[in-house]
């Protein structure tokens, strides 16, 4: 089985306290362990757990200040398909309100998400970019799979319900030509016209499709200059340089460094 490398972005808010202290306390509530930490980095070991159907993984967090907050760029390196679930586990140990919630709680409060629980909502936060804001949310079916439908200020996302699946479908706002609302016996539908093709999300709850469609029209009506810019993609070379610093400090072994370096370069 090939190891998988995933990246997750967190923002620790200014009032929360020292991020490293908060993270260490959160990890202590799990069966994970902090193997090393500095003011700007932390490495977390996720042990193999056969009873939990979990492979071992190494989670590396690089911290940097940003507008009074602290941005954390996480790299999760391991086998299996529980990379995001590892991050949900850590997030559950963080104090309430210490992390940027991307507007998710407010969006959820406007509808009934009975199908989903706390972990799935936290899972959504792990696939968002720094500063990305959720405007509307719902639960629907795409391609025979149930998932969270979220409209952000940058894209429309469909995140499959199962955390283990890590299946994400996304449409950038710029690529969506139209978002059409419909109604069927099973609920509301959204038909997305993008790049010359269409995709339809079905079985949305009452008012969920309408809320997403209305927010989409509002966002598209904004002048281009007023729309939030998409977060820049993580620079693989910069990531390799930061990983090299961790290796030089003895935080990562040479084999761990070379393995993560190879995966980052393969994406260029």
């Amino acid at each position: 089985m090939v190891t998988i490398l995933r990246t997750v972005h967190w923002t620790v808010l200014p009032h929360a306290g020292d991020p490293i202290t908060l993270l260490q306390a959160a990890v202590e509530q799990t069966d994970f362990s902090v193997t090393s930490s500095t003011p700007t980095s932390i490495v977390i070991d996720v042990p193999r757990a056969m009873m939990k159907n979990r492979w071992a993984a190494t989670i590396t967090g690089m911290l940097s200040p940003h507008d009074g907050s602290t941005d954390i760029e996480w790299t999760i390196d391991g086998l299996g398909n529980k990379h995001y679930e590892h991050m949900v586990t850590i997030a559950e140990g963080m104090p309430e309100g210490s992390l940027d919630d991307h507007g998710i709680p407010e969006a959820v409060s406007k509808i009934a998400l009975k199908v989903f629980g706390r972990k799935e909502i936290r899972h959504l936060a792990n696939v968002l970019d720094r500063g990305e804001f959720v405007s509307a949310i719902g639960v629907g079916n795409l391609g025979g799979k149930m998932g969270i439908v979220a409209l952000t200020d940058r894209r429309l996302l469909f995140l499959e319900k199962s955390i283990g699946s890590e299946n994400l479908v996304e449409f950038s706002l710029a690529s969506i030509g139209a978002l059409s609302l419909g109604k069927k016996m099973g609920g509301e539908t959204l038909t997305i016209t993008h790049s010359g093709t269409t995709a339809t999300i079905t079985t949305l709850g009452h008012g969920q499709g309408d809320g997403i469609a209305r927010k989409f029209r509002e966002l598209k009506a904004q002048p281009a200059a007023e729309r939030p810019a998409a977060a820049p993609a993580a620079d693989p070379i910069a990531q390799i340089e930061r990983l090299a610093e961790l290796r030089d400090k003895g935080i990562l072994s040479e084999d761990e460094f070379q393995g993560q370096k190879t995966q980052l370069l393969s994406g260029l």
Side-chain angles (χ1 to χ4, degrees):
M1 187 181 295
V2 179
T3 60
I4 298 173
L5 192 70
R6 295 196 187 279
T7 302
V8 168
H9 298 279
W10 282 11
T11 297
V12 181
L13 300 177
H15 68 268
D18 176 56
I20 292 294
T21 301
L22 295 176
L23 290 168
Q24 290 173 332
V27 172
E28 286 177 1
Q29 301 175 47
T30 72
D31 61 344
F32 304 171
S33 60
V34 175
T35 57
S36 63
S37 66
T38 71
T40 58
S41 66
I42 185 169
V43 179
I44 300 169
D45 175 68
V46 179
R48 176 80 166 97
M50 296 185 66
M51 294 296 291
K52 298 181 180 180
N53 191 29
R54 185 183 73 199
W55 292 94
T58 299
I59 303 174
T60 305
M62 303 300 297
L63 287 70
S64 58
H66 182 79
D67 294 338
S69 301
T70 300
D71 287 337
I72 308 177
E73 184 176 286
W74 294 105
T75 302
I76 308 100
D77 186 7
L79 297 169
N81 59 359
K82 294 183 179 291
H83 294 60
Y84 290 134
E85 189 170 345
H86 299 334
M87 301 313 300
V88 170
T89 299
I90 297 171
E92 289 187 325
M94 295 288 285
E96 195 70 31
S98 60
L99 298 175
D100 178 15
D101 61 22
H102 299 276
I104 295 172
E106 181 181 353
V108 169
S109 70
K110 297 176 181 177
I111 61 171
L113 282 182
K114 296 179 181 179
V115 180
F116 285 79
R118 185 181 181 88
K119 282 194 173 184
E120 283 85 0
I121 295 301
R122 284 195 181 275
H123 180 24
L124 173 61
N126 284 325
V127 301
L128 299 178
D129 294 329
R130 183 179 67 236
E132 190 170 8
F133 186 84
V134 174
S135 300
I137 199 167
V139 176
N141 190 298
L142 177 63
K145 297 178 180 179
M146 185 67 71
I148 294 178
V149 185
L151 177 71
T152 79
D153 51 2
R154 300 170 188 174
R155 50 189 171 156
L156 179 67
L157 304 173
F158 178 85
L159 181 64
E160 191 177 336
K161 181 176 185 294
S162 170
I163 292 178
S165 73
E166 301 189 353
N167 183 31
L168 176 69
V169 180
E170 60 181 308
F171 310 92
S172 71
L173 291 187
S175 74
I176 300 176
L179 192 63
S180 305
L181 176 68
K183 294 187 178 181
K184 294 184 177 181
M185 289 294 292
E188 296 180 343
T189 67
L190 283 175
T191 299
I192 308 154
T193 303
H194 64 104
S195 304
T197 63
T198 61
T200 301
I201 299 172
T202 62
T203 66
L204 286 154
H206 177 69
Q208 295 179 10
D210 180 64
I212 292 171
R214 283 190 293 103
K215 285 294 184 181
F216 171 77
R217 290 193 295 270
E218 290 176 12
L219 287 170
K220 293 290 280 188
Q222 290 181 1
E226 295 180 11
R227 296 175 194 166
D235 181 2
I237 302 303
Q239 286 183 284
I240 292 171
E241 291 174 348
R242 288 195 288 270
L243 290 171
E245 292 177 5
L246 295 178
R247 177 202 58 190
D248 295 343
K249 294 176 180 178
I251 296 174
L252 293 179
S253 69
E254 181 64 29
D255 287 344
E256 290 172 330
F257 168 72
Q258 291 297 336
Q260 295 194 34
K261 175 183 175 182
T262 298
Q263 294 192 56
L264 287 167
L265 290 176
S266 68
L268 292 176

